[in-house]
Amino acid sequence: MPRFRPVRSDGSRAGQAHPDYRSPHPPTERAPGSRDRYRRPDGSQAIPTFVVLDADLQELGFLVERPERADEELHEALATFAREHPELQGVDRPWSEMPPDTRLAVRAFLKEWRDQQFDRWTRYLFEDLAEIAKSARARAS
Protein backbone atom coordinates (compact mmCIF):
# COMPACT_ATOMS: atom_id res chain seq x y z
CA MET A 1 0.00 0.00 0.00
CA PRO A 2 1.61 3.32 -1.01
CA ARG A 3 2.12 5.95 1.63
CA PHE A 4 1.47 9.55 0.78
CA ARG A 5 2.74 12.56 2.65
CA PRO A 6 0.42 15.56 2.71
CA VAL A 7 1.35 18.49 0.51
CA ARG A 8 1.66 21.84 2.29
CA SER A 9 0.33 25.07 0.85
CA ASP A 10 3.88 26.04 -0.21
CA GLY A 11 4.16 22.90 -2.38
CA SER A 12 6.52 20.98 -0.08
CA ARG A 13 5.51 17.68 1.42
CA ALA A 14 5.41 16.91 5.13
CA GLY A 15 8.83 15.62 6.09
CA GLN A 16 10.57 17.82 3.48
CA ALA A 17 12.21 21.17 3.98
CA HIS A 18 10.52 24.27 2.66
CA PRO A 19 11.58 24.79 -1.02
CA ASP A 20 13.37 28.06 -0.13
CA TYR A 21 15.29 26.55 2.79
CA ARG A 22 19.03 26.25 2.28
CA SER A 23 20.89 24.20 4.83
CA PRO A 24 24.03 25.78 6.27
CA HIS A 25 25.65 22.35 6.02
CA PRO A 26 26.84 20.96 2.69
CA PRO A 27 25.18 17.83 1.34
CA THR A 28 27.05 14.61 2.14
CA GLU A 29 28.26 14.30 -1.45
CA ARG A 30 30.05 17.64 -1.17
CA ALA A 31 31.54 17.06 2.27
CA PRO A 32 34.71 15.03 1.66
CA GLY A 33 34.93 11.95 3.83
CA SER A 34 31.67 12.54 5.69
CA ARG A 35 30.05 9.54 4.05
CA ASP A 36 32.78 7.27 5.39
CA ARG A 37 32.71 8.58 8.98
CA TYR A 38 29.89 6.31 10.09
CA ARG A 39 31.07 2.90 8.88
CA ARG A 40 30.51 -0.29 10.84
CA PRO A 41 33.39 -2.71 11.42
CA ASP A 42 32.07 -4.87 8.54
CA GLY A 43 32.31 -1.86 6.20
CA SER A 44 28.57 -1.29 5.82
CA GLN A 45 27.21 2.24 6.09
CA ALA A 46 25.61 3.02 9.44
CA ILE A 47 23.00 5.73 9.81
CA PRO A 48 23.80 8.03 12.73
CA THR A 49 20.68 8.58 14.79
CA PHE A 50 22.38 10.91 17.27
CA VAL A 51 25.34 13.15 16.56
CA VAL A 52 26.47 14.93 19.72
CA LEU A 53 28.03 18.36 19.16
CA ASP A 54 29.72 20.82 21.49
CA ALA A 55 28.97 24.55 21.69
CA ASP A 56 31.27 25.14 18.69
CA LEU A 57 29.43 22.49 16.64
CA GLN A 58 32.40 20.12 16.81
CA GLU A 59 31.37 16.48 16.83
CA LEU A 60 31.90 14.84 20.22
CA GLY A 61 30.51 11.48 19.24
CA PHE A 62 27.67 9.70 17.53
CA LEU A 63 25.32 6.78 17.96
CA VAL A 64 24.12 4.65 15.09
CA GLU A 65 20.76 2.99 14.59
CA ARG A 66 21.99 -0.28 16.10
CA PRO A 67 25.06 -0.32 18.33
CA GLU A 68 27.80 -2.84 17.63
CA ARG A 69 26.99 -4.97 20.68
CA ALA A 70 23.30 -5.13 19.70
CA ASP A 71 24.37 -6.09 16.18
CA GLU A 72 26.47 -8.94 17.59
CA GLU A 73 23.49 -10.14 19.65
CA LEU A 74 21.31 -10.03 16.56
CA HIS A 75 23.76 -12.14 14.54
CA GLU A 76 24.00 -14.67 17.39
CA ALA A 77 20.20 -14.87 17.65
CA LEU A 78 19.87 -15.41 13.90
CA ALA A 79 22.54 -18.14 13.96
CA THR A 80 20.73 -19.86 16.85
CA PHE A 81 17.41 -19.57 15.01
CA ALA A 82 18.98 -21.11 11.88
CA ARG A 83 20.40 -24.05 13.90
CA GLU A 84 17.03 -24.63 15.59
CA HIS A 85 15.11 -24.53 12.29
CA PRO A 86 17.02 -26.59 9.71
CA GLU A 87 13.67 -27.34 8.04
CA LEU A 88 13.56 -23.75 6.75
CA GLN A 89 15.17 -23.78 3.33
CA GLY A 90 17.93 -21.19 3.00
CA VAL A 91 17.62 -19.95 6.59
CA ASP A 92 21.38 -19.41 6.75
CA ARG A 93 21.51 -17.38 3.53
CA PRO A 94 21.55 -13.58 3.30
CA TRP A 95 18.06 -12.03 3.51
CA SER A 96 17.88 -11.28 -0.22
CA GLU A 97 18.57 -14.94 -1.06
CA MET A 98 16.07 -16.53 1.34
CA PRO A 99 12.91 -18.09 -0.08
CA PRO A 100 9.76 -16.05 0.75
CA ASP A 101 8.43 -18.57 3.31
CA THR A 102 11.76 -18.57 5.15
CA ARG A 103 11.84 -14.77 5.17
CA LEU A 104 8.37 -14.70 6.75
CA ALA A 105 9.48 -17.10 9.49
CA VAL A 106 12.67 -15.11 10.15
CA ARG A 107 10.73 -11.84 10.18
CA ALA A 108 8.24 -13.24 12.74
CA PHE A 109 11.11 -14.48 14.91
CA LEU A 110 12.92 -11.13 14.70
CA LYS A 111 9.85 -9.11 15.61
CA GLU A 112 9.33 -11.05 18.81
CA TRP A 113 13.05 -11.24 19.59
CA ARG A 114 13.63 -7.50 19.11
CA ASP A 115 10.69 -6.66 21.35
CA GLN A 116 12.35 -8.73 24.10
CA GLN A 117 15.62 -6.76 23.69
CA PHE A 118 14.09 -3.28 23.92
CA ASP A 119 14.96 -2.53 27.56
CA ARG A 120 18.54 -3.74 27.26
CA TRP A 121 19.10 -1.88 23.97
CA THR A 122 17.69 1.29 25.53
CA ARG A 123 20.21 0.86 28.35
CA TYR A 124 22.97 0.58 25.71
CA LEU A 125 21.84 3.92 24.29
CA PHE A 126 22.21 5.68 27.62
CA GLU A 127 25.50 3.95 28.41
CA ASP A 128 26.91 5.04 25.06
CA LEU A 129 25.69 8.63 25.56
CA ALA A 130 27.35 8.63 28.99
CA GLU A 131 30.63 7.51 27.39
CA ILE A 132 30.43 10.37 24.89
CA ALA A 133 29.80 12.83 27.73
CA LYS A 134 32.67 11.38 29.76
CA SER A 135 35.09 11.63 26.84
CA ALA A 136 33.96 15.24 26.20
CA ARG A 137 34.67 16.15 29.83
CA ALA A 138 38.09 14.51 29.61
CA ARG A 139 38.93 16.50 26.46
CA ALA A 140 37.75 19.74 28.07
CA SER A 141 39.98 19.35 31.11
Side-chain angles (χ1 to χ4, degrees):
M1 173 178 215
R3 294 182 182 176
F4 297 98
R5 293 181 293 185
V7 177
R8 296 182 184 134
S9 60
D10 63 11
S12 66
R13 294 191 180 275
Q16 287 181 326
H18 185 279
D20 295 332
Y21 174 76
R22 298 292 175 255
S23 171
H25 307 287
T28 303
E29 298 81 48
R30 288 188 251 156
S34 64
R35 238 193 290 181
D36 294 328
R37 283 199 338 239
Y38 307 110
R39 293 275 175 198
R40 289 195 177 104
D42 68 0
S44 63
Q45 182 68 47
I47 299 169
T49 52
F50 291 98
V51 178
V52 183
L53 307 173
D54 66 11
D56 298 320
L57 299 179
Q58 298 300 307
E59 184 176 304
L60 299 173
F62 64 91
L63 302 174
V64 295
E65 75 274 16
R66 187 172 51 231
E68 220 175 292
R69 55 190 161 170
D71 211 33
E72 291 167 6
E73 292 172 4
L74 173 65
H75 289 296
E76 288 173 21
L78 286 170
T80 300
F81 180 79
R83 282 191 306 276
E84 292 173 354
H85 295 280
E87 75 281 1
L88 292 172
Q89 184 183 10
V91 71
D92 54 353
R93 294 184 201 157
W95 181 262
S96 60
E97 297 173 18
M98 288 181 190
D101 290 344
T102 301
R103 270 193 228 160
L104 287 174
V106 171
R107 181 178 291 152
F109 163 74
L110 284 175
K111 181 185 179 336
E112 183 178 330
W113 184 83
R114 283 183 176 134
D115 287 347
Q116 295 168 1
Q117 313 315 309
F118 183 80
D119 290 340
R120 188 173 63 259
W121 286 1
T122 300
R123 190 178 70 244
Y124 291 171
L125 167 73
F126 287 105
E127 289 170 358
D128 291 351
L129 282 171
E131 281 300 313
I132 291 170
K134 193 185 313 180
S135 70
R137 274 195 306 267
R139 279 185 266 172
S141 56

